Amino acid sequence: MYRVFLVDDEPSIREGLTTIINWEEYGFEVIGTAASGREAIERFDELKPDLTIIDIRMPGMTGLDVIEEVREHHADAHFLILSGYADFDYAKKAISFGVDGYLLKPVDEEEIISELQRISGVLTRERETNARHAGEDTAYREHQIEALLFDNQESSVTTQEDALGLKWPQYQIILLEIHAAPDLQRGSALKRKLVEAFDQQQRGIVFSFHSGLGLLCKEPIISIDGARNVHDELRSLLGEWNIHMYVAAGQPVTSTAEISKSYRQANAMLADRFLFSEERMMLWNDQVIGENHIHSIEDSRPDGFEADEAELADKLYYALDIRSHESVMRVLTEMQDRIVPYHRTEQAIKTAFSQTFSLAINKLAAANQQMQSILQEHSMLITEVYHQHTLRDLQVMAAEHLNRLIQRMGGGSTDTVLKQMIEFIRRNPGENLKLEVLSDVFNYNSSYLGKLFKNHTGESFNAFLDKVRMEKAKELLNEGLKVHQVAARVGYANVDYFHGKFRKYVGESPSAYKHAREHTKLQSKEKPGENPSK
C-alpha cells in the first residue's frame, strides 16, 4: 500500500477525500491529515507519505510553501495539488516544484481515481528502481552492465570485457522507456522477449534501467532508416502487450570505457521524450528535439516573450463560443508555439496547457449556464492533459475533446464571419474585446477585418462595441444593479470612464437614467385615476 497524507484547511475536504474514495482498491491508504501548512511540515517526517494531496491556497503557509520546504529534505516527495479556479497564479508557480498533477475543486471522484492510478504506476516504477539500486536485483550480468554504465575506471574494463564476452569493435546503448497498464506484470515477460531477439541471437545484451529496458548492442544504429527499422522490430516484439514505448540511442563508441557516454546521451534524449514527434528510435544527433534544441529555443526567445496562458485561454474561449472547429485548431497550434518554447519541460508544459483549458472552460461555463452539464463532462480534459505521453498525444486528445464539446453545443456555426463576430460581441459585452485578438480567432488581418466590419455595420469596431455595451448597461440598470456593478459587467473597470461613455451615448448619466426609470416604474404601479401630487 502507498501512504497518502491529506492537507487542507477545510474539514469538509479532508473528510470528503477520506471517505469518498476506496483507497485500498487502488493500492493506497490514508495515514494522516493536516489542517494547515505548518502542521503538514511538522508531521511529514513522522508519517513519511508516498503521496501528499495538498490544497494550494491555505492561510498562513500555502501549499507551495509546504512543497518548497519539504523538497529541501525530501527531493523525491510526490505531491498532488488541489486548486480552485481563482488560484491560477498560485498553480502556475507550482510548475517549478515538479508537482505530479493538480485537481480542480470541487474534486470529482473519477478524476482523483484516475490520478491515483497514474501516480501508482510512477511509484511502482520508483520502487523497482530503488530495489535494484539497493542490491535486490542480484543478476550478475546486470551488475556488470551497470558498472559499465556508471563506472569509468579503466581498471575494471578488461575484467568486464572478459566476463561478458564484450570483445566487440563497437558498442551502443539503446534505451526503451516503457509505460504499461497498471495491471501488467511486465518485467520478466517483456525482458524475455528481448533476450530471445538480442542475447540469444548474439546481437547484444538486455538489461533493466530506471524507466524500462536497455540494450547494449554491437551493431550500431546510425541512420534514420535503421532507427525506424529497429523501432518497428521492437514494436512487433512487444506488440502483444498494451504498452507505450519510447526509444532512444546514444552514440556508438569503440571502447567499453566509453559505454557510459552512450548511455548518458540516450538517457538525455529520453528526458525530452515528451517532444518526440516521430514513431522511431531517436538518435543522439537528432536536432528536431533534445536538450540542444530546447536550449536553442530558449536562447532565441525574444525579450519580453511569455506564453500568457490567460490570453490564450481568452482566444480558446472565443473559438469555442463561436463553435468554430478551425478556430479551435488554430488556437491549439498557437498554444504549442508559445507554451513549449517558454516552459520547455514536460511538467511545466502540461501545467500551462491544463491551466489554459481550465480558464477557457470555466469562462464558457459561466457565460452559458444552460450548458453546465455538457461542460462538466468535458472538465476531464484538464486531468487528461497529465496522462499524455507526448506533446503530439496531448494535441490530438485536446482537439478531440474540444471538437466533441462543439458538437454537444450544437455543431460548428455556418454563419458568415461578420455575423459570428457581431453575435459574439452581443453575447460577450463584458469581455476585454480587442479587434487584434478577434482577428486571430477568425484568421483575418486585423486591419482588413476592421474595414470589413465597418462596411458591414456602418460603424467602427470600437464604436459598435461601445454601443452594444451601453444597451446592455441600460438593461442591467433597469434590473436594479448599482452603477459600479453595471460598469464591471459591461467591461469598464473605471467607473468614471463608464460614466463618460454612458452620457455620450444615452444623453444622461447612469444614475439619472436609473432614477428616471425607477420613477416611471413607480408611476405605472399607481391605481388608475390616482393623482400622485395629492
Side-chain angles (χ1 to χ4, degrees):
M1 289 286 178
Y2 295 115
R3 299 156 60 85
V4 178
F5 185 22
L6 303 177
V7 183
D8 199 298
D9 61 312
E10 297 182 46
S12 60
I13 298 292
R14 298 195 303 273
E15 294 169 9
L17 286 175
T18 303
T19 56
I20 66 171
I21 304 296
N22 185 350
W23 295 91
E24 292 186 3
E25 182 179 346
Y26 305 102
F28 291 86
E29 61 174 334
V30 177
I31 45 88
T33 64
S36 68
R38 179 50 55 194
E39 182 183 358
I41 293 294
E42 293 171 353
R43 300 198 64 193
F44 196 92
D45 286 335
E46 165 204 343
L47 297 174
K48 296 181 174 59
D50 297 299
L51 172 65
T52 300
I53 300 178
I54 186 168
D55 186 13
I56 198 170
R57 186 197 288 259
M58 294 182 291
M61 192 175 197
T62 70
L64 295 181
D65 296 331
V66 173
I67 294 171
E68 185 175 19
E69 187 164 332
V70 168
R71 289 273 193 230
E72 292 179 2
H73 305 287
H74 306 278
D76 57 349
H78 291 271
F79 291 92
L80 184 62
I81 60 175
L82 303 176
S83 167
Y85 167 63
D87 297 330
F88 173 64
D89 289 333
Y90 281 94
K92 195 173 181 181
K93 292 177 184 177
I95 292 170
S96 60
F97 297 110
V99 298
D100 291 75
Y102 85 100
L103 296 167
L104 287 176
K105 290 183 177 181
V107 178
D108 179 82
E109 182 178 352
E110 291 183 3
E111 290 181 19
I112 194 168
I113 288 173
S114 178
E115 287 297 281
L116 291 175
Q117 289 174 330
R118 178 176 65 84
I119 294 172
S120 175
V122 173
L123 294 171
T124 298
R125 288 194 294 274
E126 285 187 357
R127 280 195 176 180
E128 291 172 353
T129 301
N130 293 335
R132 183 163 58 255
H133 289 169
E136 294 177 24
D137 180 0
T138 57
Y140 172 76
R141 187 173 59 180
E142 290 209 23
H143 277 300
Q144 297 303 311
I145 292 292
E146 285 184 0
L148 290 172
L149 297 181
F150 304 112
D151 185 359
N152 290 323
Q153 295 183 10
E154 293 284 350
S155 60
S156 63
V157 168
T158 302
T159 302
Q160 291 164 346
E161 288 178 351
D162 292 340
L164 296 172
L166 292 181
K167 297 290 187 179
W168 301 345
Q170 288 185 297
Y171 311 87
Q172 183 181 33
I173 293 293
I174 296 174
L175 299 179
L176 291 75
E177 181 177 322
I178 295 173
H179 297 264
D183 60 344
L184 178 64
Q185 301 298 318
R186 56 181 168 80
S188 59
L190 296 176
K191 183 182 283 189
R192 186 165 56 249
K193 275 284 187 180
L194 294 182
V195 167
E196 292 172 359
F198 288 87
D199 290 65
Q200 295 178 11
Q201 301 300 320
Q202 304 298 310
R203 297 169 61 192
I205 298 174
V206 178
F207 60 92
S208 298
F209 85 112
H210 60 84
S211 297
L213 297 170
L215 301 170
L216 175 58
C217 297
K218 64 179 178 180
E219 296 179 0
I221 311 301
I222 58 175
S223 69
I224 291 177
D225 286 341
R228 188 170 286 111
N229 291 338
V230 173
H231 184 279
D232 290 345
E233 179 187 3
L234 293 170
R235 174 63 65 193
S236 177
L237 285 170
L238 307 180
E240 63 185 276
W241 292 280
N242 181 26
I243 64 170
H244 292 280
M245 177 183 70
Y246 305 95
V247 188
Q251 184 176 7
V253 295
T254 57
S255 162
T256 51
E258 296 179 304
I259 287 176
S260 60
K261 174 185 176 181
S262 184
Y263 171 80
R264 289 195 300 272
Q265 290 173 332
N267 210 23
M269 295 300 292
L270 283 182
D272 290 327
R273 175 263 304 153
F274 183 66
L275 301 179
F276 280 16
S277 59
E278 288 188 73
E279 287 291 329
R280 67 171 173 89
M281 177 193 305
M282 305 308 296
L283 301 176
W284 74 96
N285 56 358
D286 276 323
Q287 296 301 311
V288 177
I289 58 126
E291 187 175 357
N292 291 336
H293 175 64
I294 297 299
H295 287 167
S296 68
I297 291 176
E298 180 182 10
D299 295 341
S300 63
R301 182 191 302 160
D303 291 340
F305 175 89
E306 61 178 321
D308 196 349
E309 288 87 346
E311 178 189 329
L312 291 169
D314 282 344
K315 289 185 178 181
L316 183 57
Y317 162 59
Y318 299 163
L320 290 169
D321 188 77
I322 63 174
R323 306 195 313 279
S324 170
H325 298 283
E326 294 78 10
S327 296
V328 164
M329 294 307 297
R330 283 195 296 271
V331 175
L332 287 176
T333 299
E334 184 179 354
M335 287 173 64
Q336 175 173 322
D337 292 343
R338 293 174 62 178
I339 287 174
V340 172
Y342 185 76
H343 290 293
R344 301 186 301 281
T345 67
E346 176 181 351
Q347 193 68 27
I349 290 168
K350 285 182 174 180
T351 299
F353 266 84
S354 189
Q355 291 287 359
T356 302
F357 293 145
S358 172
L359 287 171
I361 290 177
N362 274 282
K363 184 170 284 190
L364 193 63
N368 300 272
Q369 295 296 326
Q370 71 276 16
M371 294 190 303
Q372 289 290 338
S373 61
I374 295 176
L375 295 170
Q376 275 184 346
E377 175 185 331
H378 287 271
S379 66
M380 284 296 292
L381 164 65
I382 297 163
T383 299
E384 281 298 312
V385 168
Y386 288 99
H387 295 178
Q388 305 310 305
H389 298 294
T390 67
L391 180 61
R392 182 176 61 183
D393 294 339
L394 194 162
Q395 290 286 69
V396 170
M397 179 277 299
E400 291 175 350
H401 262 279
L402 296 173
N403 284 327
R404 284 200 304 272
L405 176 55
I406 289 174
Q407 290 302 316
R408 293 291 302 277
M409 292 165 62
S413 174
T414 58
D415 293 337
T416 65
V417 167
L418 289 173
K419 186 174 181 181
Q420 290 184 56
M421 189 171 171
I422 291 168
E423 290 303 313
F424 178 81
I425 293 171
R426 286 174 173 157
R427 286 195 304 272
N428 297 276
E431 286 292 310
N432 182 25
L433 299 179
K434 297 178 181 178
L435 183 61
E436 293 77 14
V437 176
L438 288 177
S439 65
D440 284 346
V441 174
F442 289 101
N443 200 30
Y444 273 77
N445 173 275
S446 61
S447 177
Y448 180 64
L449 183 61
K451 291 177 182 177
L452 287 179
F453 189 89
K454 187 169 185 178
N455 288 339
H456 184 77
T457 64
E459 298 176 291
S460 70
F461 172 80
N462 288 330
F464 183 86
L465 176 60
D466 283 338
K467 185 172 73 174
V468 170
R469 285 174 166 174
M470 292 307 106
E471 290 302 317
K472 183 65 176 178
K474 287 159 67 175
E475 290 179 19
L476 296 173
L477 288 169
N478 288 336
E479 292 173 8
L481 270 69
K482 295 180 180 179
V483 173
H484 71 89
Q485 294 173 322
V486 173
R489 290 276 291 274
V490 296
Y492 296 101
N494 187 308
V495 177
D496 291 336
Y497 185 69
F498 169 65
H499 268 268
K501 284 283 185 182
F502 193 91
R503 184 181 290 277
K504 175 183 176 182
Y505 278 85
V506 182
E508 58 184 335
S509 71
S511 300
Y513 176 87
K514 181 180 180 183
H515 179 74
R517 294 307 176 277
E518 289 174 347
H519 182 68
T520 301
K521 287 180 182 179
L522 285 173
Q523 286 184 325
S524 67
K525 291 180 180 179
E526 294 174 355
K527 295 179 181 179
E530 183 177 343
N531 188 343
S533 63
K534 292 183 179 181

